[in-house]
Amino acid sequence: MEVEVKLRLPDAAAHELLAIALSPFHLRTHIQENLFFDGADGELSARQAVLRIRFYDGDSRCVLSLKSRARLVDGISRVEEAEEDIDPSLGRACVVEPCRLNAISATSEILRTVKDEFGIGGEGNESRGSAFVCLGGFRNVRAVFGWKEGLTLELDETRYDFGTSYELECETGEPEKAKEMLERFLSEKGVEYSYSTASKFAVFRAGKLIP
């Protein structure tokens, strides 16, 4: 179970102000490209599951992930998540030809789950509902900070075809405590924020920024 605090920033000015405040804690910045997949009949979306391939900094790393049973309440997200590193060249091939995901189903626990639980993919399975399709995706600039009490913060600038959103995330086993610390910090620095009400994928699928 992945548990995160998610706080939305209203605009680029708030993002810049927070980036300056966090600059002493900066560790690294990643350029992420996120592509999403489903079955031809939307089998994953129908059950609130998300299959994603993420590329880091061009093709330096590629991660396949499956998220399901997501809940986002009062700025705290809880979601079941599994991740696997895959070869970036294979990831690129899967984006161009989603059926290539079948080629790694024998060695991927995630894709076995997708086949067994959702009926998508698997070599030799040719029913219409079993075909993988690529839904497209978005890019994300993620600055990572090593903050107080061992907390890692991620400051995101997410670029969709229809606009840009800004968000601060913190994965933690003590979300209420972390949220309180972050809210106090943001208030002290004069950074406006609100609780995130939708995941990045939900915003992407909606086709518009969610206030």
Side-chain angles (χ1 to χ4, degrees):
M1 175 74 70
E2 178 190 64
V3 181
E4 289 183 306
V5 178
K6 291 178 176 281
L7 303 177
R8 188 182 69 85
L9 306 176
D11 50 34
H15 177 273
E16 182 178 3
L17 183 60
L18 182 54
I20 292 171
L22 287 172
S23 59
F25 308 99
H26 183 259
L27 298 176
R28 57 192 171 275
T29 297
H30 291 299
I31 307 299
Q32 301 173 339
E33 184 180 355
N34 304 277
L35 286 308
F36 300 90
F37 300 82
D38 204 338
D41 291 326
E43 294 90 340
L44 290 171
S45 296
R47 293 170 60 184
Q48 298 183 316
V50 179
L51 182 65
R52 180 190 69 201
I53 288 179
R54 170 177 285 171
F55 299 92
Y56 287 80
D57 307 317
D59 288 348
S60 66
R61 185 186 179 201
C62 181
V63 177
L64 175 70
S65 69
L66 177 65
K67 295 189 176 188
S68 61
R69 300 177 178 89
R71 292 178 294 145
L72 179 55
V73 179
D74 294 334
I76 297 176
S77 167
R78 292 177 170 85
V79 60
E80 295 183 13
E81 181 181 38
E83 291 187 337
E84 298 171 353
D85 278 79
I86 63 174
D87 183 270
S89 62
L90 178 56
R92 292 292 180 192
C94 291
V95 172
V96 176
E97 296 181 275
C99 63
R100 287 178 175 264
L101 286 166
N102 295 327
I104 57 175
S105 60
T107 57
S108 168
E109 185 174 341
I110 286 176
L111 292 177
R112 284 197 298 270
T113 298
V114 169
K115 178 180 182 294
D116 294 342
E117 294 189 13
F118 301 94
I120 307 170
E123 294 181 293
N125 189 341
E126 298 182 358
S127 66
R128 177 175 177 270
S130 69
F132 283 108
V133 294
C134 182
L135 305 175
F138 52 82
R139 294 178 180 272
N140 192 55
V141 180
R142 169 165 289 175
V144 183
F145 305 87
W147 198 53
K148 303 174 182 178
E149 298 191 23
L151 294 174
T152 298
L153 307 185
E154 297 171 337
L155 182 58
D156 288 346
E157 177 184 350
T158 305
R159 300 168 182 173
Y160 305 98
D161 289 341
F162 46 84
T164 302
S165 68
Y166 307 92
E167 193 171 35
L168 178 66
E169 299 183 352
C170 176
E171 185 173 353
T172 174
E174 298 181 284
E176 295 294 346
K177 178 182 177 181
K179 186 171 76 167
E180 181 180 350
M181 290 174 61
L182 287 170
E183 290 191 85
R184 186 184 311 116
F185 177 73
L186 294 177
S187 296
E188 290 173 352
K189 299 300 181 180
V191 179
E192 295 183 39
Y193 70 93
S194 60
Y195 296 156
S196 297
T197 59
S199 68
K200 293 178 178 66
F201 176 72
V203 173
F204 164 67
R205 293 296 278 166
K208 62 181 180 180
L209 299 179
I210 297 175

